[in-house]
Amino acid sequence: MDDPILTIEEREAINSGRWFSSLSPSLRHDILRCAYVKRYKDGELIAARGDVPEEWIACAKGAVRVSSTSISGKQVTLTYVEPGIWFGDVAIFDGDRRTHDAYAHGDSTILCVSRGDLRKILSEHTELYEAMLRLHARRIRQLFGLVEDLNTLPLRARLAKQLTHLVRSYGVTSLSNASEVRIGLHLAQEELAQLLGASRQRVNQELKAMEREDVIRIEPGGLVVRNREALMRIIEADN
């Protein structure tokens, strides 16, 4: 059964989100006042492509894997929504159905606002319209950046960029070595390859090369970044 209350860590993840923290205190209060909590186990379906959008959603713990299914039936991961990020509003605004599937990646907690409550909040806080425009503009910039990277950067640089992003979002500093950061989000190499638009074999080759250069360390439980400055040099060398 869902625990109706966010933990202290989950609430902090929501409140510290870059976009949400930019809202006025009264708007944040009204959003949280009508929001409700849902918890999912790893791999559980949160929303399906074709669903009628009934909720505006924020990730509070874990991650939400957004995916699509190819004509051949292969599932392709498009992105991972990290704690503090809100999503699912586009379908509510345009009145169309969900365009992608969303699954819990690891044990995850989401915070939901019903479509009716969102419309009520919009009518009471006109500030939210401009805030939503900023949110959508940021997504468009990110999308164009991804397309540009895919068409202009070699796989090595794209991989370094993705690892830098994962460190920023899910990095856990090693207690034994402060210069090392473990990526808390566990991704199989196939999942990492899908994010980069490359084959698993090519991503594996680049990871092995970075490991030989002491930039990262590959462990059974995931990846450890040993040299963040080296990752930045890889990115900057191809920009």
Side-chain angles (χ1 to χ4, degrees):
M1 191 167 109
D2 292 337
D3 186 338
I5 301 175
L6 292 174
T7 66
I8 294 174
E9 293 78 11
E10 291 166 349
R11 182 173 286 272
E12 174 60 24
I14 294 295
N15 285 327
S16 62
R18 178 181 169 189
W19 177 79
F20 190 73
S21 63
S22 71
L23 305 179
S24 68
S26 63
L27 175 52
R28 294 199 305 270
H29 173 270
D30 282 357
I31 291 173
L32 294 176
R33 180 172 55 83
C34 64
Y36 47 95
V37 176
K38 289 185 177 181
R39 302 184 189 281
Y40 292 88
K41 296 295 184 182
D42 180 41
E44 285 189 323
L45 180 67
I46 295 173
R49 180 174 183 169
D51 282 353
V52 174
E54 299 293 349
E55 298 169 324
W56 181 37
I57 305 169
C59 180
K61 174 190 172 185
V64 177
R65 176 170 59 86
V66 180
S67 66
S68 182
T69 305
S70 68
I71 296 176
S72 63
K74 180 182 179 182
Q75 195 171 81
V76 178
T77 299
L78 304 175
T79 190
Y80 290 86
V81 180
E82 64 196 66
I85 301 298
W86 291 78
F87 66 101
D89 44 273
V90 172
I92 291 178
F93 277 111
D94 69 12
D96 209 341
R97 294 176 180 269
R98 301 285 191 199
T99 55
H100 298 92
D101 299 317
Y103 294 88
H105 188 82
D107 290 345
S108 301
T109 302
I110 63 170
L111 192 64
C112 304
V113 176
S114 71
R115 178 168 55 178
D117 282 335
L118 175 58
R119 295 194 181 281
K120 183 179 179 181
I121 294 170
L122 282 165
S123 69
E124 296 174 351
H125 295 268
T126 55
E127 154 197 0
L128 186 53
Y129 282 103
E130 184 176 345
M132 284 291 193
L133 286 175
R134 292 198 306 270
L135 182 62
H136 293 167
R138 185 181 303 165
R139 289 174 183 159
I140 292 171
R141 285 181 181 273
Q142 291 172 342
L143 178 60
F144 279 132
L146 288 172
V147 173
E148 181 180 10
D149 288 350
L150 190 60
N151 286 280
T152 61
L153 294 181
L155 176 59
R156 178 178 171 85
R158 300 204 312 275
L159 175 58
K161 264 194 168 184
Q162 186 64 56
L163 292 178
T164 299
H165 170 73
L166 290 171
V167 164
R168 186 166 56 248
S169 303
Y170 293 98
V172 180
T173 303
S174 170
L175 296 177
S176 59
N177 187 341
S179 66
E180 294 188 351
V181 181
R182 177 180 299 279
I183 295 175
L185 181 70
H186 179 66
L187 295 178
Q189 289 189 12
E190 178 64 29
E191 294 169 325
L192 188 57
Q194 290 176 11
L195 290 176
L196 296 166
S199 68
R200 186 193 62 78
Q201 291 79 6
R202 289 190 61 207
V203 169
N204 178 263
Q205 290 171 1
E206 294 294 350
L207 288 171
K208 290 292 187 183
M210 288 184 182
E211 186 172 44
R212 288 193 297 270
E213 297 162 9
D214 293 327
V215 179
I216 66 170
R217 183 170 66 252
I218 303 172
E219 297 183 348
L223 295 173
V224 175
V225 174
R226 304 184 63 190
N227 191 330
R228 280 172 281 183
E229 290 75 18
L231 277 181
M232 293 306 301
R233 288 195 293 271
I234 292 172
I235 297 168
E236 292 165 359
D238 290 290
N239 278 328

